[in-house]
Amino acid sequence: MPFQPVVLVTDALLFVLLGLIVGAVWRARRSPPMRRAWRDVGRSRSGMASATILVAFLGIGVADSLHYRPLLESAGGTKSSVYSAEVLSALDAALTPLRVRVERTYSAPLATRSFAKETIESESGAIARDYPRLQFAGAQLADPDRDRDQDVRNRLLRGIGLGLGAAVLTCLGLGTFLGRGQEGGCASGWWAILSGRTTVRWRAALITVLGLGAVIGGLAALAPVYHVFGTDKVGQDVLYLTLKSVRTALVIGTLTTLVLLPVALALGVLAGYLGGWVDDLIQYVYTVLNSIPGVLLIAAAVLMMQGLIDRHPEWFSTAAERADARLLALCCILGLTSWTGLARLLRGEALKLRELEYVQAARAFGVGTPRILLRHILPNVMHIVLIAVVMDFSSLVLAEAVLSYVGIGVDPNTISFGTMINAARMELAREPMVWWSLGSAFVFMFTLVLSANLFADAVRDAFDPRRG
C-alpha cells in the first residue's frame, strides 16, 4: 500500500461518538415526541443555518481524523518499503499545496513580498534593504507589484462563481429529494422551499449553503497561489493552520462529553432518586470540587499527566501519538472537572420525578430500583442532558483556547486555536503589528462558537418542557 492507516485514540472515540449520534437519530425517528421536538428545531431559521455551518466544520474535522503514514521515497525517487514517521491526514493530503509551501517568515494576507525588510544583493552586486519577494506566493506573476490585484480579482470571481455553481447543484439535489413525496413532484417541492412554506426551514439552510459555496470557492481559487491569510513566524500558511485547528476544537467539545456525561448522569440521578446518605455524599463531592478554582485544578492535573507522558516516551511510536495522548488527557481532565453543573440539574429533576404517581406506583408494586431508574427516570431527564451537552460545546471550545493560551492546554505540536493565539500574542506589540494569525483564529473560532450557541438555543427552545 502507498500508505499505512493510523488510528489514533481520539480518532476512534470521535467515530464512536458519530456512530452514537447516528443511532440516536435513528431512534428519534421512531419516537413521535422526539420527532416532534426535532421538527421544532427545524422550524428555527437560525437553528437550520447554524446546523449547516456546523456540518461543514464537522466535515473538516472528520477529514482531519483519517490518519495515515505515507511511504518514504528512496534516493532514486521511487517508493521504498519504509513508512514515514510523520502522520498525515486526509485533510493534509487535500491541502498539500498549503502544507508544503513554507516561506521564510511572516507575510501579510495575499502578499507577494515578505513582511519584514531584509538585506538583498542585486544582480549587479549592489546591496540594499528591501522587502524580498516570496518564494511561492504570486510566483506565477511576472511583475507581482503590477499584476497581483488584477490576478486576485479574476481568481476570486472565478472561484466564487464555481463555488456558487456547486452550491446551486447541491441545492437542486436537495430540492429534488424533498419534492419526491409531494403531489406536484420536484417543482412543487422547490416552490415550497423557496416560498418558505415547508415545516423545516430548508430555505435558511440553502441560503447558508450558497454562502458557504461562495466562501469555499473563493478560498479554493486563491489558496494554491497565494497565502490567503498570510504566514506565521516560521512561514507556515495561516489558512492551513486554521483549518487544522478545527479538529482540535471538535475533539475537545465532543469527546469531553463522553467523560462528563456518564459521571454526571449516574451521580445526579442516584443522588436525586435515592436521597439520604447517598445524596449527602454526592453533594459533598461536587461541593468540594466546586470550591477549588477550576483553572488551578485543571493545571495541576495537566502537569501531572504531562510528567507521566514525558517519563514514558516508549509508549508512543510517533510524535502524533504523543500529542494525541495529551489531547485525550485534556478531554478527560475537562470532563472530570466540569460534571458538577449537569449533575446538580439532574439531581433536582430526579427529586421531582421520584414523587410522581407512576414512579410511586412502580415502587408499590415491588419494581426494583435499577428498573425504575432505567425505565422511568432516565428517559425523562434526557431532554436536560441533550440541552446541557449542546450548550456546553461552545464553552469547552473556548476553554481549550484559554488553557492553550496560558500554556496548560494541548501539546505544542498540536495545532489549535489556543496555540495560534498564544503564538501571535507577542507579535501584537511589534510595529507594524502582525494581526492575521490572531484574526484568522478569532474569526473561525467565533463562527464555530456562534453557530453552536445558535443551534443550542434552538435545541433548548424545542426540548424545553415549559414551551407551549
Side-chain angles (χ1 to χ4, degrees):
M1 293 179 63
F3 61 88
Q4 180 186 55
V6 175
V7 180
L8 301 176
V9 178
T10 54
D11 296 339
L13 292 176
L14 184 61
F15 285 115
V16 167
L17 186 59
L18 290 177
L20 293 176
I21 293 174
V22 172
V25 171
W26 179 79
R27 184 178 178 85
R29 291 187 52 149
R30 302 177 59 186
S31 171
M34 292 294 289
R35 284 205 309 269
R36 184 167 58 251
W38 282 110
R39 195 177 297 116
D40 290 341
V41 175
R43 288 193 178 101
S44 170
R45 293 183 178 87
S46 61
M48 289 298 293
S50 59
T52 305
I53 297 175
L54 290 176
V55 168
F57 277 111
L58 181 62
I60 296 174
V62 170
D64 203 17
S65 298
L66 301 173
H67 289 100
Y68 67 95
R69 293 169 62 184
L71 278 174
L72 292 174
E73 292 187 357
S74 62
T78 59
K79 293 291 185 180
S80 67
S81 59
V82 179
Y83 292 100
S84 171
E86 182 182 15
V87 177
L88 302 177
S89 68
L91 184 67
D92 289 320
L95 302 178
T96 297
L98 280 68
R99 179 172 59 87
V100 301
R101 295 185 305 117
V102 179
E103 307 289 353
R104 294 182 59 184
T105 184
Y106 290 112
S107 64
L110 297 176
T112 58
R113 295 187 176 276
S114 177
F115 187 68
K117 286 186 175 181
E118 298 180 11
T119 301
I120 302 175
E121 183 177 357
S122 64
E123 297 180 357
S124 61
I127 296 178
R129 295 280 296 175
D130 199 0
Y131 300 98
R133 184 171 175 176
L134 297 178
Q135 182 179 358
F136 299 102
Q140 79 282 3
L141 302 177
D143 187 352
D145 297 332
R146 181 193 63 195
D147 302 332
R148 188 201 64 171
D149 293 344
Q150 183 65 33
D151 184 63
V152 168
R153 190 179 304 113
N154 293 340
R155 290 178 181 273
L156 183 61
L157 293 176
R158 190 184 312 120
I160 291 176
L162 292 175
L164 287 175
V168 167
L169 292 177
T170 303
C171 295
L172 286 173
L174 181 59
T176 303
F177 175 78
L178 295 175
R180 291 185 308 169
Q182 301 202 16
E183 296 180 359
C186 298
S188 176
W190 261 107
W191 177 248
I193 292 174
L194 294 177
S195 59
R197 291 188 290 106
T198 54
T199 303
V200 178
R201 301 299 183 183
W202 290 111
R203 184 171 63 178
L206 297 185
I207 292 174
T208 307
V209 169
L210 292 175
L212 288 174
V215 172
I216 295 173
L219 292 176
L222 293 174
V225 291
Y226 293 100
H227 300 294
V228 181
F229 293 161
T231 57
D232 64 1
K233 188 174 183 178
V234 296
Q236 288 184 296
D237 191 280
V238 173
L239 175 59
Y240 169 74
L241 298 177
T242 307
L243 293 176
K244 291 284 289 183
S245 300
V246 171
R247 177 186 179 271
T248 305
L250 292 178
V251 167
I252 292 291
T254 55
L255 294 192
T256 303
T257 306
L258 293 178
V259 180
L260 176 154
L261 195 55
V263 177
L265 195 58
L267 296 182
V269 169
L270 288 175
Y273 181 77
L274 297 178
W277 66 270
V278 176
D279 186 20
D280 293 339
L281 178 62
I282 294 175
Q283 284 192 74
Y284 178 78
V285 170
Y286 67 60
T287 301
V288 170
L289 282 177
N290 285 336
S291 66
I292 303 174
V295 175
L296 295 180
L297 185 61
I298 294 171
V302 168
L303 292 176
M304 289 174 58
M305 289 300 302
Q306 182 60 33
L308 180 65
I309 292 172
D310 291 341
R311 288 194 300 270
H312 297 279
E314 69 278 4
W315 290 354
F316 315 104
S317 58
T318 63
E321 292 182 0
R322 182 179 182 277
D324 186 71
R326 180 164 174 177
L327 178 60
L328 180 62
L330 181 61
C331 292
C332 295
I333 292 167
L334 287 174
L336 293 174
T337 55
S338 57
W339 59 269
T340 56
L342 179 56
R344 187 171 293 174
L345 290 174
L346 294 175
R347 173 185 175 274
E349 189 69 11
L351 283 172
K352 181 184 72 175
L353 291 173
R354 74 175 185 178
E355 303 299 331
L356 297 181
E357 290 82 358
Y358 63 89
V359 177
Q360 296 287 347
R363 296 173 66 179
F365 278 104
V367 179
T369 296
R371 188 174 180 85
I372 292 176
L373 291 175
L374 293 175
R375 293 291 299 273
H376 300 301
I377 304 296
L378 281 180
N380 289 288
V381 300
M382 291 311 293
H383 67 282
I384 295 179
V385 173
L386 181 61
I387 293 171
V389 166
V390 175
M391 297 191 70
D392 284 347
F393 174 84
S394 57
S395 62
L396 291 171
V397 173
L398 294 175
E400 181 278 323
V402 173
L403 293 175
S404 297
Y405 175 76
V406 298
I408 56 174
V410 299
D411 189 87
N413 294 325
T414 301
I415 303 173
S416 71
F417 294 126
T419 55
M420 289 183 64
I421 295 172
N422 186 36
R425 64 188 176 95
M426 297 302 296
E427 306 304 327
L428 296 178
R430 64 177 289 172
E431 181 62 34
M433 182 174 64
V434 178
W435 55 267
W436 44 87
S437 293
L438 177 63
S440 301
F442 171 79
V443 169
F444 272 70
M445 186 169 61
F446 173 79
T447 305
L448 176 60
V449 171
L450 179 63
S451 301
N453 284 340
L454 292 176
F455 185 70
D457 288 342
V459 171
R460 180 194 60 199
D461 294 340
F463 283 85
D464 191 347
R466 294 172 297 181
R467 76 185 194 281

